[in-house]
Amino acid sequence: MPGTVIVGTQWGDEGKGRFTDLLCEDMSMVVRYQGGHNAGHTIIADGHTLALQLVPSGILYRHVTPVIGNGVVVDPAVLIAECDMLEGKGIDTSRLKLSGNAHLIMPYHQELDKVTERFLGKNKLGTTKRGIGPSYADKATRVGIRVQDLLDEKIFSAKLDLALREKNGVLAKVYNRLPMKASEIFTRYRSYLERLEPMIADTVELIHETLERNENVLFEGAQATFLDLDQGTYPYVTSSNPVAGGACTGAGVGPRHINRIIGVAKAYVTRVGSGPFPTDLFDEVSDLLVDRGGEYGTNTGRRRRPGWLDAVMLRHAVRLNSLTELALTKLDVLAPLTELKICVAYEDESGRRYDHVPYHQSVLHKVKPVYETLPGWGAEIGEVARFEDLPAAARDYVAAIESLAGVPVTFCSVGPARGQTVVMPAAA
Ligand code: GDP
Ligand code: IMO
Ligand code: MG
């Protein structure tokens, strides 16, 4: 059962891309199973810095087949531009496969994402405005248009007309926007077909053929556990299921095909956009984490909100994803701090203590973190290659995380480049 999932354990941008890239050596296939170009996965390797939105992070390896699974929502213009960007850097994209069952992001989805956010005013979610929510909403109400629909002009035209009848009504009458022209969208989307057609495939069949040959398949999560539509901090979430279980529906495999589930955790926490964040920081530590960690959105450029590591969330992520292990990133960012805090529990206004994430939104919004303080190590660690060469305080910090999370840390990263990874004794 050679399936591995990489999943974010926080609110995204934990460094999933760099760990997907790292594990590719042993993989035959890398599959994106949900989300869309709201993701930004950074890989620094082979002299390239890549910020990938839709193309799976296995693209740098010639022996890997990158697959965009049925659970992803695809803006074809973005996908083509990303392939062009990669080809421009000399990276071959001809192996890329795109599920015919993936849903398309249409221009009205992007427009609706923008106007509904404006409409929400101070209650806005802070979405990436990429049309993700409206596209998944159409999928759920069964009026979505799929990649395969592009292949038949009659079907595409009929589905587009039907969708626009409703969308134009909403855009014009509710949001006072100009209606969109079916003919323009039709011509533009059909023109993408020349580039997309060679990629379109029965990806479920391809994934199973690979698994049946006993070759390794990596399922690359986008977003993260606490942005999950069902398990995250609803409504401040994305509209898909990033949790490990989402790999089953978004790629078309059963749970028994997955035997390794790696949760990626930043050594602190960040969040972009609105929503509750118990360990949110507003002091000088916050600026230090943002400056040293380069905590600005990979695609949107927005400043990420930083906070101390939250072990309550981490434990919950272990449960929700059946994590077998953790990969810890950005340990190097903490170097100058003389003391480090880890949130080990929450307390509500009445002093009630929570060792788990409270299900009720009103409680979570108001809880205060209970911290354990650990000493910092006060030295740069970007050159360290072996766990035993990390300063004792850094090793203790990692050990504390393992003990609080209840699963081993198998990798630590000490810088953004491929080589700046410490493989832990447990994984070696
Ligand atoms: P993803 O969305 O989970 O793939 O993460 P992003 O790529 O959006 O954000 C992670 C950012 O942190 C990127 O800019 C990475 O280059 C950077 N990064 C990843 N690991 C490390 C690390 O160990 N140390 C430092 N300093 N930066 C890292
Ligand atoms: P990666 O894969 C961080 C956040 C947005 C917003 C919320 C909903 O790079 O970790 P959406 O556009 O999805 O409807 O926005 O989710 N968000 C992310 N935050 N990393 C991401 O992806 C994100 N994708 C969406 O900021 O709060
Ligand atoms: Mg990202």
Side-chain angles (χ1 to χ4, degrees):
M1 292 190 291
T4 299
V5 179
I6 287 203
V7 60
T9 59
Q10 297 158 342
W11 281 292
D13 304 324
E14 297 91 348
K16 298 175 291 294
R18 64 98 37 94
F19 272 107
T20 304
D21 168 74
L22 187 82
L23 294 183
C24 278
E25 211 71 72
D26 300 326
M27 298 293 155
S28 289
M29 192 172 257
V30 176
V31 187
R32 272 282 306 270
Y33 58 87
Q34 45 65 236
H37 67 300
N38 47 350
H41 294 182
T42 315
I43 305 172
I44 302 179
D46 297 345
H48 301 291
T49 297
L50 302 174
L52 298 172
Q53 297 180 267
L54 273 168
V55 174
S57 301
I59 194 72
L60 282 172
Y61 293 81
R62 285 186 179 277
H63 68 274
V64 169
T65 305
V67 173
I68 297 176
N70 55 274
V72 176
V73 285
V74 179
D75 180 327
V78 173
L79 180 57
I80 292 167
E82 197 164 316
C83 288
D84 288 344
M85 177 276 287
L86 290 164
E87 293 285 345
K89 290 177 186 276
I91 299 162
D92 174 28
T93 60
S94 64
R95 290 160 288 122
L96 181 63
K97 304 292 176 203
L98 169 63
S99 167
N101 287 353
H103 279 247
L104 291 171
I105 295 182
M106 305 298 292
Y108 44 84
H109 293 140
Q110 311 229 6
E111 187 63 11
L112 282 167
D113 202 353
K114 286 180 196 143
V115 291
T116 48
E117 277 286 271
R118 222 174 294 151
F119 195 72
L120 284 169
K122 69 174 177 43
N123 294 320
K124 73 174 183 189
L125 304 174
T127 75
T128 59
K129 299 188 182 153
R130 303 277 154 91
I132 306 293
S135 176
Y136 277 116
D138 276 2
K139 175 177 174 174
T141 49
R142 292 152 297 176
V143 292
I145 303 182
R146 295 189 290 176
V147 167
Q148 61 176 286
D149 296 325
L150 281 176
L151 294 167
D152 183 314
E153 60 180 305
K154 278 212 191 84
I155 291 176
F156 182 54
S157 173
K159 291 196 174 184
L160 180 60
D161 284 345
L162 199 66
L164 272 182
R165 220 183 296 161
E166 187 236 352
K167 303 301 174 201
N168 275 339
V170 174
L171 283 171
K173 294 193 182 116
V174 179
Y175 296 108
N176 206 17
R177 310 295 297 171
L178 288 174
M180 295 191 164
K181 286 204 179 71
S183 58
E184 273 174 19
I185 300 176
F186 178 86
T187 311
R188 181 144 65 87
Y189 272 60
R190 283 280 295 176
S191 77
Y192 298 139
L193 201 52
E194 192 189 336
R195 295 289 302 281
L196 295 187
E197 201 164 356
M199 301 177 200
I200 301 175
D202 182 345
T203 54
V204 171
E205 188 65 21
L206 286 178
I207 294 167
H208 283 275
E209 281 169 5
T210 310
L211 289 166
E212 279 154 24
R213 285 196 302 269
N214 221 27
E215 292 175 22
N216 294 327
V217 177
L218 183 59
F219 300 94
E220 177 184 7
Q223 290 78 54
T225 304
F226 291 94
L227 288 173
D228 185 277
L229 182 60
D230 287 81
Q231 305 299 343
T233 48
Y234 190 89
Y236 301 101
V237 292
T238 192
S239 298
S240 66
N241 289 112
V243 291
C248 294
T249 51
V253 298
R256 290 202 300 153
H257 285 109
I258 296 163
N259 64 343
R260 189 177 183 196
I261 305 170
I262 306 171
V264 185
K266 218 177 264 197
Y268 47 97
V269 179
T270 60
R271 163 159 222 175
V272 208
S274 324
F277 185 175
T279 65
D280 212 352
L281 279 173
F282 302 97
D283 56 11
E284 65 282 2
V285 175
S286 143
D287 293 335
L288 181 134
L289 294 174
V290 170
D291 291 346
R292 278 185 61 90
E295 297 298 354
Y296 294 92
T298 307
N299 294 309
T300 60
R302 290 179 293 172
R303 187 186 201 268
R304 297 174 183 149
R305 298 154 62 193
W308 292 115
L309 188 81
D310 186 336
V312 183
M313 286 174 68
L314 211 48
R315 273 198 297 271
H316 202 49
V318 170
R319 285 176 160 179
L320 293 172
N321 298 294
S322 301
L323 296 185
T324 54
E325 62 210 92
L326 285 170
L328 194 64
T329 60
K330 297 196 146 181
L331 206 54
D332 55 301
V333 173
L334 302 178
L337 294 165
T338 49
E339 59 177 37
L340 306 170
K341 290 184 182 172
I342 301 182
C343 168
V344 293
Y346 302 144
E347 234 172 54
D348 71 11
E349 286 169 312
S350 68
R352 178 175 165 195
R353 188 182 161 107
Y354 294 83
D355 295 309
H356 61 276
V357 178
Y359 85 93
H360 205 291
Q361 189 183 358
S362 312
V363 179
L364 186 64
H365 270 272
K366 290 190 191 133
V367 289
K368 296 270 173 287
V370 177
Y371 286 119
E372 222 168 65
T373 303
L374 284 87
W377 46 90
E380 295 296 345
I381 54 173
E383 305 292 316
V384 174
R386 297 184 316 168
F387 184 63
E388 54 271 34
D389 296 335
L390 283 173
R395 281 183 275 137
D396 289 347
Y397 187 67
V398 176
I401 293 168
E402 284 186 320
S403 151
L404 287 162
V407 291
V409 171
T410 48
F411 304 93
C412 285
S413 69
V414 293
R418 195 185 269 169
Q420 290 178 297
T421 313
V422 176
V423 180
M424 303 289 286

